[in-house]
Amino acid sequence: MSTRDSWRNSGGSGYGGSRYGGGSGSVAFGGTSAWGAGGGNTIFRVLSRTTEYQSNRRSVIRSGFSDNDIDEEDNYSLYSEDDVNLPPISKAEDWALMPDVKNYAERGEKEHFKSKKLGVTWENLTVKGVGSDAAFNENVLSQFNVPQNIKEARQGLPLNTIIESSHGCVKPGEMLLVLGRPGSGCTSLLKMLANRRNGYAEVKGDIHFGSMTPKEAEKYRGQIVMNTEDELFFPTLTVGQTMDFATRMNVPYHKFSDQHSDKDFQQEYRDFLLKSMGITHTFDTKVGNEFVRGVSGGERKRVSIIETLAARGSVFCWDNSTRGLDANTALQYTKAVRAMTDVVGLTSIVSLYQAGNGIYDLFDKVLVLDQGKEIYYGPRKDARPFMEELGFVCGDGANVADYLTGVTVPTERQIRSGYEASFPRTADEIRTHYGRTDTKAAMQKEYAYPQSEEAKAHTKEFKESVAYDKDKTLPKNSPLTVSFPKQVKACVSRQYKILWGDKPTFIIKQLATLLQALVVGSLFYNSSKDSSGLFSKSGAMFFSLLYQALMALSEVTDSFAGRPVLAKHKAFAFFHPAAFCIAQIAADIPVLLFQVTQFSLVLYFMVALKVTASAFFTYWITLFATAMCLTAVMRAIGAVFSTFDGATKLSGFWFSALVVYSGYFIPKTQMHPWFVWIYWIDPLSYGFEILLSNEFHGQTIQCQNNNLIPNGPGYINSPFKSCAGVPGATQGATSVSGDQYLQSFSYKHSHLWRNFGIIWAWWAFFVFVTIVATSNWKEMAGKSGFLLIPRENAKKNAQHLARDEESQVKEKPASRGTVTLYDSSSSSMDEKTIDNQLISNTSVFTWKDLTYTVKTPAGDRVLLDKVQGWVKPGMLGALMGSSGAGKTTLLDVLAQRKTDGIINGSILVDGRPLSVSFQRSAGYCEQLDIHEPTATVREALEFSALLRQSRKTPKEEKLKYVDTIINLLEMHDIEHTLVGRTGAGLSVEQRKRLTIGVELVAKPSILIFLDEPTSGLDGQAAFNTLRFLRKLAAVGQAVLVTIHQPSASLFKEFDTLLLLARGGKTVYFGDIGEEARTLKDYFARNGAPCPQEVNPAEHMIDVVSGAASQGRDWNQIWLDSPEHKGVSQEVDRIIKEAAAKPPGTSDDGYEFAMPLWQQTKLVTHRMNVALYRNTDYVNNKFALHIGSALFNGFSFWKIGNGVSDLQLKLFTIFNFIFVAPGVIAQLQPLFIDRRDIYEFREKKSKMYSWVAFVTGLIVSEFPYLCICAVLYFAPWYYTVGFPTDSNKSGAVFFVMLFYEFIYTGIGQFVAAYAPNAVFASLVNPAIITILVSFCGVLVPYSQIQEFWRYWIYYLNPFNYLVSSILTFTVFDVKVVCKPHEFALFDTPNNQTCREYLAPYLEGLGSRTNLTNPDATSGCRVCQYRLGSDYLSTLNISDYYFGWRDAAIVVIFAISSYVMVYALMKLRTKATKTAQ
């Protein structure tokens, strides 16, 4: 054995072990490190050799060898025998920040920090998920199929094997590349190796982290981290703020001696991370998301990468982390990981799609998965030879990574001559061959690593190092790094930044509060101090609490908005969930203080409540405490539930319970015993008692007006009268003390501060519930990617129940040069037939001197700078550039998708301005695959075909073309499955194909734009997509594509290239040439030759933004070049020639392909099907109605006919109104989701009009609203004891039915204009409270201020709702006073009661009921004789008012839907055109 081999075996295989001797680390990456004695000298000897090595390496390459031909074993031959003990040079030695990494390591050595090296080893790992590859999606009816449900429940859930008997070992300092097609189990394997087992049904086998078991490793979760494919951020934070937080959460307790504070470390590390991914310039830019403008997609991915690095872990798992990155950035990212792995001794496990050979060569080991089976695991350099020995051919210039994953795909693999009969055809056969290799035997020896002394020593050092890093105040088993107070401080700071980043929402919230206070203050303005003011003052105080409850409802929506980010940060061990909850509370305090203060100052004094400082501040602090408590209640509900639908169900019901049992609707003394317990757990009830006792304690309240019998002329000075209808008043008295009034409700002033304490106790309880629930939040895990089959399509999809979505079709003889078309179940089409059906194009598309400018806080920003070019029929054009260069922006501008900014320049088709039908005549596949989740693949394609193909094309022909595209895109096996959402539905690759298909079935007649069609796809899928686009171009279609990381084989499919630099500046436009010769010649001539073995696409990006740019202005070089002059002349020539000819595409003059009626029918049908399949939404709506109705009915069980009972009847009807907030809160997110799909894709494609969209959404709700009206009416109407006559009950049902339409319309028109669901949830309280306030319940009509009485009262649908139902149920009722409700008084001079009261009974008391007219003492007068007497006080004077008001309710239902149309129209912006 050579000296080199012996070093290799002792130090860990190949690049295993520590790259730099006795263990290394840094505060930045691995935390702390201790280099062995002399480690520093080793570093400097290595560094001194670096230049020599690089020089020798270059000379070898110049001698005719490619970089790939140099085995890493040969690296040692560049050294003398004296140097054989030196560790190898890092493959990332040329990474720009390598000196910084080494500098960190050197500092760690000087400080004698210990290393945090760990490694991961796994054997016989088998992972199973619940469910097969396909599951049924129940619909509204099928979910009630009890026999079927029982049968399926008895069968139990099948277990699906995701990973089968995997094994491997990645030591510190090693990088493993995990390869596999989508659905092969790569993500699940990475989750296992990152110790994330949540959601999997069964995990078998041994995994060791160092020498630790997974259970032991749980308390080090911050050291074993995973970067998932999803980019989850708070979109309103800037990149700088996001990274500030991430780095603050990982400041070690012991820092370098030259770092004097946490801030020094944090800023130094943050700046390094930003620099490492080249995004320093984005520091002050919002991260953004699909709907909030921020950094570009590639930049957001880089933020995701460095946020993961901020965890300073020891084991990193990277799941497809280069998705959306350009080739150069992807390479630089991999070099960064390589450098940190080498220097610090990290363990890096990476899964990638479309990994170029430059990236592939940076890894030590490769693991290939196919359908969960491990078909190769071993050194990278042995992977390709192993497959080639089996007979698989790796073409020249092919990506080796793509080659390795394609060997089991019949349509991808190429077989060497002579191996056709013997090559292994399945994953199992390849695995069998692998089991016989020396590689397998060599790898098996590594599986004993966890038991080795080296692993034990590393693990011991790792634990000591983590403990050394950790703040001393943290518990021993805590996975966190910084102290709890620092966590809270950072979380509070971030919470304020999130609030500040979303200023519009905050401002709207405060303005709405001020408006509410002014409106309600004026409603209860200057309430009387006598008995007539009791009800209005109580109403004002109840409303003060009600408004806080309504505002708190938005917390439920809010808690789901940030949950994925918090689950991610929990997995990174950034902070304890309690710190986040405390931060939310800390952010609540100033916001609620401001909110409550402005509300209190306005309302309190306008209503004329008790004017003493102590009374006001008691009111103010009670509102604040109640607001805090209710916010905690709703936040706890949001935290406890895993789904938004579940949370809204409970929050809507709980809101009703809080309101009904606050003591205002039903006095505590009248509550039924079965529900009185709700009163005791209701924070509102304690708040209401405080406010009432604070106001009325110590007051004397005179009885006046209706509350004094008799009154009026002749009775003013008479002592013979009594209070009536005033709780607490003693019979025969004309006034009542405040304490008597309070006592009648079982309230006492002495309870005031007790209740205040109870409110805070409830607050503490709900905060505790929130913390516990938040601590159990988990990232989405388990089996993802299973197909969803609508139950009604079960028979069409029977094969999916027994077949994996990735299972292969039978092999067909095919080479990579063809796109194989599968036979569909219905017909078999050959390629020629399909070619004949594909549409060709004769129009030329040009753009010249195109400039796009947007306004930013810093001033105007140019995103495109004088870009010009063309796309001709039959041409496949590539649009490339570094991340953030403006590629997507250019496509958006060309496709007329921008609604903001200023566009200058010309965009022409055939030398003419764009026609009105351009947007639907051009196909645009956006980067984000936005689809209706409840539609099947076929339905989505048919919907697009029927709406976007010409109205002259027969329907049968359109549907036939859908079959063509389904065959072409090889989607026949998934055509009847639902699109679904992430985790349940189509895979990323399938969604991408659907996005392309949706545009193709529209038969775009001008050209097709595609934004990143290969992003997120594996190499084979990307190649198939490009070959398919090539086919389209071949039949005469014009295609323009943005692409990030094309392999050499992909790149040569393109005809032309438009290359952009940052700022939208052109670097090159023109032909690529055979083998990219034209392009290479241009750059070679300008001093940037492309090395022969380098992918020209990667080289171009490197020239634009990477190391090869040499600091030169390539845009200026282009402008000065003869090629630029030639392009300008050619554009002018094309325009001139095209303008002189007849247009290649005829414009039918229609904005939309189909008439409005056809659009409306199709859209309404789709919405109907969507709701029919959305059982969560429908069930929630039903459950809320049934629950609320039963609750309302049993709370007001069998109401009697006394005077106080009349008010209970009013309140039970009033309570029906409050079914709306819960349903609206659930309805709006669904509406906004649909609207986003429409606005971001369908509207811009001119697929259908906004009128059809709104009509479809409105009409699809109708059947369910009718059912909801029945579900509320039946359990409620009869339990409260309303009349059973059909003419009355039928009339009530009619009004209730139209109320369902009214509140749905209100919810939809708010959602139509709201920017997002959270905003909508903040506007709802403002609208509902105003309508509730002025409906004549909280303040009777006669007491409403004149300013409001004559307009808003009559414009209020709730007024007519309550009025009509009251009329039908109460008008004819005979009132029977209870003993304590009578006004009891004697008569003067022995007069009979009739004689004494004669003037009163003929005047003001004409509606009262004297029950003992002949008595001479103890006159008993009841306030009312009939229900109609009571209704007259509510401005209802005749029975016909009931039907009149019912008709007005219908008018309001119609007008609420008109408002949906109006606000949707107001929101609909025209797209920008070039000026």
Side-chain angles (χ1 to χ4, degrees), residues 774-846:
T774 306
S775 300
N776 291 316
W777 280 357
K778 292 179 174 66
E779 287 190 290
M780 195 165 69
K783 170 125 177 25
S784 62
F786 61 88
L787 295 173
L788 274 177
I789 300 167
R791 177 65 75 174
E792 63 270 27
N793 287 1
K795 290 180 181 175
K796 297 178 186 176
N797 285 277
Q799 75 272 21
H800 284 299
L801 300 178
R803 170 181 163 186
D804 187 278
E805 65 172 286
E806 293 291 348
S807 63
Q808 303 302 326
V809 296
K810 64 182 181 180
E811 184 157 6
K812 297 194 174 192
S815 71
R816 282 187 74 96
T818 62
V819 175
T820 303
L821 304 172
Y822 298 145
D823 293 342
S824 76
S825 56
S826 59
S827 64
S828 177
M829 303 184 189
D830 60 22
E831 290 196 34
K832 191 172 180 182
T833 307
I834 289 176
D835 285 351
N836 292 337
Q837 288 195 14
L838 290 174
I839 191 165
S840 61
N841 168 37
T842 55
S843 292
V844 182
F845 184 73
T846 59

Side-chain angles (χ1 to χ4, degrees), residues 1303-1321:
Y1303 78 70
T1304 302
I1306 291 170
Q1308 288 182 332
F1309 80 62
V1310 170
Y1313 199 71
N1316 53 55
V1318 173
F1319 182 93
S1321 69

Side-chain angles (χ1 to χ4, degrees), residues 632-645:
V633 170
M634 295 305 169
R635 200 171 276 157
I637 290 172
V640 165
F641 281 85
S642 59
T643 65
F644 178 71
D645 280 332

Side-chain angles (χ1 to χ4, degrees), residues 839-847 870-877 908-910 1004-1008 1029-1040 1055-1056 1134 1138 1141-1145:
I839 191 165
S840 61
N841 168 37
T842 55
S843 292
V844 182
F845 184 73
T846 59
W847 60 97
W870 63 82
V871 187
K872 297 178 180 178
M875 174 176 143
L876 180 58
L908 306 172
V909 173
D910 292 329
S1005 56
I1006 297 177
L1007 80 162
I1008 300 172
L1029 297 177
R1030 181 75 263 169
K1031 173 181 273 294
L1032 288 176
V1035 296
Q1037 188 60 264
V1039 185
L1040 183 61
D1055 301 313
T1056 60
I1134 290 171
K1141 296 176 185 174
T1145 308

Side-chain angles (χ1 to χ4, degrees), residues 167 207 440 501 657 704 717 753 817 929 954 984 987 1035 1168 1250 1420:
H167 46 80
I207 304 179
K440 170 77 182 286
Q704 294 292 338
N717 297 316
W753 294 111
D929 303 312
S987 66
V1035 296
N1168 280 332
W1250 63 270
R1420 295 160 65 87

Side-chain angles (χ1 to χ4, degrees), residues 233-244 270-271 273-288 293-307 325 329 861 863 882-885 1062-1063:
F233 297 102
F234 289 109
T236 58
L237 290 180
T238 65
V239 172
Q241 290 166 345
T242 301
M243 291 312 302
D244 261 334
R270 178 200 68 200
D271 294 344
L273 289 174
L274 289 167
K275 214 192 314 179
S276 71
M277 286 294 130
I279 51 172
T280 311
H281 62 281
T282 65
F283 190 86
D284 294 318
T285 309
K286 283 184 181 178
V287 177
R293 181 186 288 171
V295 297
S296 71
E299 287 165 342
R300 194 176 303 123
K301 173 55 77 176
R302 285 183 269 174
V303 176
S304 175
I305 289 167
I306 60 175
E307 186 189 43
L325 299 184
T329 307
R861 184 178 172 193
L863 298 182
S882 59
S883 297
R1062 182 165 295 282

